Amino acid sequence: EVQLVESGGGVVQPGGSLRLSCAASGFTFDDYAMHWVRQFPGKGLEWVSGIRYNGRTVTYAGSVKGRFTSSRDNAQNSLYLQMSSLRPDDTGIYYCAKDIMHSSGDSFDAWGQGTVVIVSS
Amino acid sequence: SSELTQDPAVSVALRQTVRITCQGDSLRSYYASWYQQKSGQAPVLLIYGKDIRPSGIPDRFSGSSSGDTATLTISGAQAEDEAAYYCNSRDSSGDLVVFGGGTKLTVL
């Protein structure tokens, strides 16, 4: 059974940093691209970042580019999102999601339960 | 703002057919994927590619596309289909991923 478990969320002040982790199991992690998707309170989904199976190509939404860094450790079956210069409008639930492909596509067939990030003073 | 546009809310009578649309210029070049999200839960992939359902997704869910519009059809809506539905695809550059704003489906 595919499992994705996010951790690392919490409350942080504006301008602060946070590192999210996603532990994957139940599939060959290094065969698939991975993504971060967030959901603002009571609102829709926003794609944040995608990383190829080998970690060599990472893409970001314009709203986070230059502030967030996604990485992966295939030996540890883990995905990470380093978030810096956080703003109140970064508040939301952050999901990691598994792509159906090696390369960074747009079909996500497994999702974690999400971790909550609150940016507030 | 999203490059994919969805109606915010749609309703359907129990066991009737409902179509949920997703419109955007990039859909002329890329397929949309569709997700169902029930309250308090993570999204679930329903449809991807031309009309492919992952294992375990009921066959009452189907997808189609024409021009700049992708459509999710639920044939014979069930009470448990009441949820938010999101489309996603590539943006106009093809480099990034975008989601539609979501459609809240009410089953009457």
Side-chain angles (χ1 to χ4, degrees):
Chain A
E1 180 195 2
V2 173
Q3 276 201 316
L4 299 170
V5 180
E6 301 95 338
S7 60
V11 181
V12 61
Q13 291 190 337
S17 299
L18 211 54
R19 189 193 195 209
L20 307 184
S21 300
C22 172
S25 61
F27 65 102
T28 305
F29 184 70
D30 57 9
D31 272 353
Y32 297 94
M34 296 293 295
H35 300 263
W36 290 98
V37 177
R38 65 185 179 182
Q39 186 162 33
F40 304 119
K43 301 289 186 183
L45 302 170
E46 181 184 64
W47 175 81
V48 172
S49 177
I51 184 168
R52 283 174 61 97
Y53 71 103
N54 58 10
R56 291 180 184 171
T57 302
V58 188
T59 49
Y60 299 94
S63 57
V64 306
K65 193 170 185 178
R67 301 188 299 123
F68 290 12
T69 301
S70 180
S71 62
R72 63 192 295 163
D73 183 341
N74 286 345
Q76 298 294 322
N77 289 346
S78 293
L79 175 71
Y80 304 102
L81 185 68
Q82 178 68 48
M83 305 186 294
S84 60
S85 302
L86 282 161
R87 310 186 298 223
D89 62 2
D90 292 316
T91 293
I93 301 172
Y94 284 71
Y95 295 100
C96 73
K98 171 188 167 291
D99 203 306
I100 64 171
M101 298 169 56
H102 272 62
S103 57
S104 189
D106 51 41
S107 300
F108 312 150
D109 64 349
W111 297 64
Q113 84 290 349
T115 188
V116 176
V117 173
I118 299 172
V119 184
S120 174
S121 53
Chain B
S1 64
S2 174
E3 296 187 29
L4 298 178
T5 301
Q6 297 182 242
D7 292 327
V10 169
S11 61
V12 61
L14 187 65
R15 293 186 292 276
Q16 295 304 301
T17 295
V18 62
R19 293 173 181 82
I20 297 171
T21 61
C22 173
Q23 184 177 25
D25 284 343
S26 65
L27 298 181
R28 297 182 183 279
S29 304
Y30 302 100
Y31 288 116
S33 298
W34 289 95
Y35 303 83
Q36 177 192 67
Q37 186 180 34
K38 296 183 178 179
S39 182
Q41 298 182 20
V44 172
L45 178 65
L46 295 175
I47 298 285
Y48 67 96
K50 190 170 183 179
D51 179 20
I52 302 170
R53 280 177 288 106
S55 173
I57 302 301
D59 61 6
R60 65 178 179 273
F61 294 95
S62 63
S64 61
S65 185
S66 178
D68 68 349
T69 300
T71 301
L72 172 71
T73 300
I74 308 175
S75 303
Q78 303 297 307
E80 62 263 32
D81 298 336
E82 190 161 286
Y85 291 84
Y86 294 92
C87 62
N88 82 337
S89 187
R90 292 294 182 165
D91 73 344
S92 52
S93 74
D95 293 332
L96 307 180
V97 178
V98 289
F99 279 90
T103 297
K104 177 69 173 76
L105 176 67
T106 300
V107 179
L108 303 172

